[in-house]
PDB file of all heavy atoms in Angstrom:
ATOM      1  N   GLU L 202       2.067 -20.708   1.236  1.00  0.00           N
ATOM      2  CA  GLU L 202       2.778 -21.548   0.268  1.00  0.00           C
ATOM      3  C   GLU L 202       1.976 -21.711  -1.022  1.00  0.00           C
ATOM      4  O   GLU L 202       2.549 -21.760  -2.123  1.00  0.00           O
ATOM      5  CB  GLU L 202       3.035 -22.918   0.892  1.00  0.00           C
ATOM      6  CG  GLU L 202       3.689 -23.936  -0.021  1.00  0.00           C
ATOM      7  CD  GLU L 202       3.745 -25.319   0.605  1.00  0.00           C
ATOM      8  OE1 GLU L 202       2.844 -25.647   1.412  1.00  0.00           O
ATOM      9  OE2 GLU L 202       4.683 -26.068   0.281  1.00  0.00           O
ATOM     10  N   ASN L 203       0.654 -21.780  -0.903  1.00  0.00           N
ATOM     11  CA  ASN L 203      -0.212 -22.037  -2.061  1.00  0.00           C
ATOM     12  C   ASN L 203      -0.973 -20.799  -2.510  1.00  0.00           C
ATOM     13  O   ASN L 203      -2.039 -20.921  -3.121  1.00  0.00           O
ATOM     14  CB  ASN L 203      -1.197 -23.157  -1.726  1.00  0.00           C
ATOM     15  CG  ASN L 203      -0.495 -24.459  -1.379  1.00  0.00           C
ATOM     16  OD1 ASN L 203       0.576 -24.757  -1.895  1.00  0.00           O
ATOM     17  ND2 ASN L 203      -1.088 -25.242  -0.484  1.00  0.00           N
ATOM     18  N   ASP L 204      -0.419 -19.630  -2.240  1.00  0.00           N
ATOM     19  CA  ASP L 204      -1.077 -18.389  -2.661  1.00  0.00           C
ATOM     20  C   ASP L 204      -1.136 -18.337  -4.188  1.00  0.00           C
ATOM     21  O   ASP L 204      -0.103 -18.289  -4.854  1.00  0.00           O
ATOM     22  CB  ASP L 204      -0.302 -17.181  -2.116  1.00  0.00           C
ATOM     23  CG  ASP L 204      -1.041 -15.863  -2.310  1.00  0.00           C
ATOM     24  OD1 ASP L 204      -1.925 -15.792  -3.188  1.00  0.00           O
ATOM     25  OD2 ASP L 204      -0.728 -14.906  -1.591  1.00  0.00           O
ATOM     26  N   GLU L 205      -2.344 -18.312  -4.745  1.00  0.00           N
ATOM     27  CA  GLU L 205      -2.508 -18.262  -6.190  1.00  0.00           C
ATOM     28  C   GLU L 205      -2.769 -16.842  -6.691  1.00  0.00           C
ATOM     29  O   GLU L 205      -2.705 -16.589  -7.888  1.00  0.00           O
ATOM     30  CB  GLU L 205      -3.665 -19.177  -6.619  1.00  0.00           C
ATOM     31  CG  GLU L 205      -3.392 -20.653  -6.352  1.00  0.00           C
ATOM     32  CD  GLU L 205      -4.515 -21.552  -6.819  1.00  0.00           C
ATOM     33  OE1 GLU L 205      -5.564 -21.013  -7.265  1.00  0.00           O
ATOM     34  OE2 GLU L 205      -4.365 -22.782  -6.734  1.00  0.00           O
ATOM     35  N   ASP L 206      -3.060 -15.920  -5.771  1.00  0.00           N
ATOM     36  CA  ASP L 206      -3.293 -14.533  -6.168  1.00  0.00           C
ATOM     37  C   ASP L 206      -1.982 -13.752  -6.266  1.00  0.00           C
ATOM     38  O   ASP L 206      -1.780 -12.983  -7.217  1.00  0.00           O
ATOM     39  CB  ASP L 206      -4.230 -13.851  -5.173  1.00  0.00           C
ATOM     40  CG  ASP L 206      -5.621 -14.454  -5.203  1.00  0.00           C
ATOM     41  OD1 ASP L 206      -6.228 -14.502  -6.287  1.00  0.00           O
ATOM     42  OD2 ASP L 206      -6.103 -14.892  -4.149  1.00  0.00           O
ATOM     43  N   VAL L 207      -1.135 -13.917  -5.271  1.00  0.00           N
ATOM     44  CA  VAL L 207       0.201 -13.307  -5.287  1.00  0.00           C
ATOM     45  C   VAL L 207       1.185 -14.427  -4.964  1.00  0.00           C
ATOM     46  O   VAL L 207       1.356 -14.788  -3.805  1.00  0.00           O
ATOM     47  CB  VAL L 207       0.331 -12.168  -4.254  1.00  0.00           C
ATOM     48  CG1 VAL L 207       1.680 -11.468  -4.415  1.00  0.00           C
ATOM     49  CG2 VAL L 207      -0.809 -11.161  -4.397  1.00  0.00           C
ATOM     50  N   PRO L 208       1.822 -15.003  -5.964  1.00  0.00           N
ATOM     51  CA  PRO L 208       2.660 -16.188  -5.735  1.00  0.00           C
ATOM     52  C   PRO L 208       3.819 -15.925  -4.791  1.00  0.00           C
ATOM     53  O   PRO L 208       4.309 -14.801  -4.670  1.00  0.00           O
ATOM     54  CB  PRO L 208       3.151 -16.559  -7.137  1.00  0.00           C
ATOM     55  CG  PRO L 208       2.935 -15.354  -7.973  1.00  0.00           C
ATOM     56  CD  PRO L 208       1.788 -14.610  -7.382  1.00  0.00           C
ATOM     57  N   VAL L 209       4.237 -16.986  -4.110  1.00  0.00           N
ATOM     58  CA  VAL L 209       5.300 -16.864  -3.125  1.00  0.00           C
ATOM     59  C   VAL L 209       6.602 -16.372  -3.751  1.00  0.00           C
ATOM     60  O   VAL L 209       7.455 -15.799  -3.056  1.00  0.00           O
ATOM     61  CB  VAL L 209       5.504 -18.217  -2.404  1.00  0.00           C
ATOM     62  CG1 VAL L 209       6.150 -19.239  -3.322  1.00  0.00           C
ATOM     63  CG2 VAL L 209       6.298 -18.032  -1.124  1.00  0.00           C
ATOM     64  N   ALA L 210       6.755 -16.524  -5.061  1.00  0.00           N
ATOM     65  CA  ALA L 210       7.938 -15.983  -5.743  1.00  0.00           C
ATOM     66  C   ALA L 210       8.046 -14.472  -5.548  1.00  0.00           C
ATOM     67  O   ALA L 210       9.162 -13.926  -5.476  1.00  0.00           O
ATOM     68  CB  ALA L 210       7.884 -16.312  -7.236  1.00  0.00           C
ATOM     69  N   HIS L 211       6.914 -13.778  -5.430  1.00  0.00           N
ATOM     70  CA  HIS L 211       6.943 -12.338  -5.185  1.00  0.00           C
ATOM     71  C   HIS L 211       7.478 -12.053  -3.784  1.00  0.00           C
ATOM     72  O   HIS L 211       8.198 -11.080  -3.569  1.00  0.00           O
ATOM     73  CB  HIS L 211       5.543 -11.754  -5.343  1.00  0.00           C
ATOM     74  CG  HIS L 211       5.077 -11.692  -6.760  1.00  0.00           C
ATOM     75  ND1 HIS L 211       4.149 -10.787  -7.210  1.00  0.00           N
ATOM     76  CD2 HIS L 211       5.409 -12.430  -7.842  1.00  0.00           C
ATOM     77  CE1 HIS L 211       3.912 -10.966  -8.496  1.00  0.00           C
ATOM     78  NE2 HIS L 211       4.670 -11.972  -8.906  1.00  0.00           N
ATOM     79  N   GLY L 212       7.107 -12.894  -2.826  1.00  0.00           N
ATOM     80  CA  GLY L 212       7.632 -12.736  -1.478  1.00  0.00           C
ATOM     81  C   GLY L 212       9.135 -12.936  -1.437  1.00  0.00           C
ATOM     82  O   GLY L 212       9.857 -12.207  -0.749  1.00  0.00           O
ATOM     83  N   LYS L 213       9.630 -13.927  -2.169  1.00  0.00           N
ATOM     84  CA  LYS L 213      11.068 -14.181  -2.217  1.00  0.00           C
ATOM     85  C   LYS L 213      11.807 -12.997  -2.837  1.00  0.00           C
ATOM     86  O   LYS L 213      12.894 -12.612  -2.381  1.00  0.00           O
ATOM     87  CB  LYS L 213      11.339 -15.457  -2.999  1.00  0.00           C
ATOM     88  CG  LYS L 213      10.837 -16.721  -2.301  1.00  0.00           C
ATOM     89  CD  LYS L 213      11.064 -17.964  -3.147  1.00  0.00           C
ATOM     90  CE  LYS L 213      10.576 -19.214  -2.424  1.00  0.00           C
ATOM     91  NZ  LYS L 213      10.745 -20.439  -3.237  1.00  0.00           N
TER      92      LYS L 213
END
Side-chain angles (χ1 to χ4, degrees):
E202 176 188 30
N203 300 328
D204 190 339
E205 295 182 355
D206 294 305
V207 186
V209 71
H211 288 206
K213 292 177 179 178

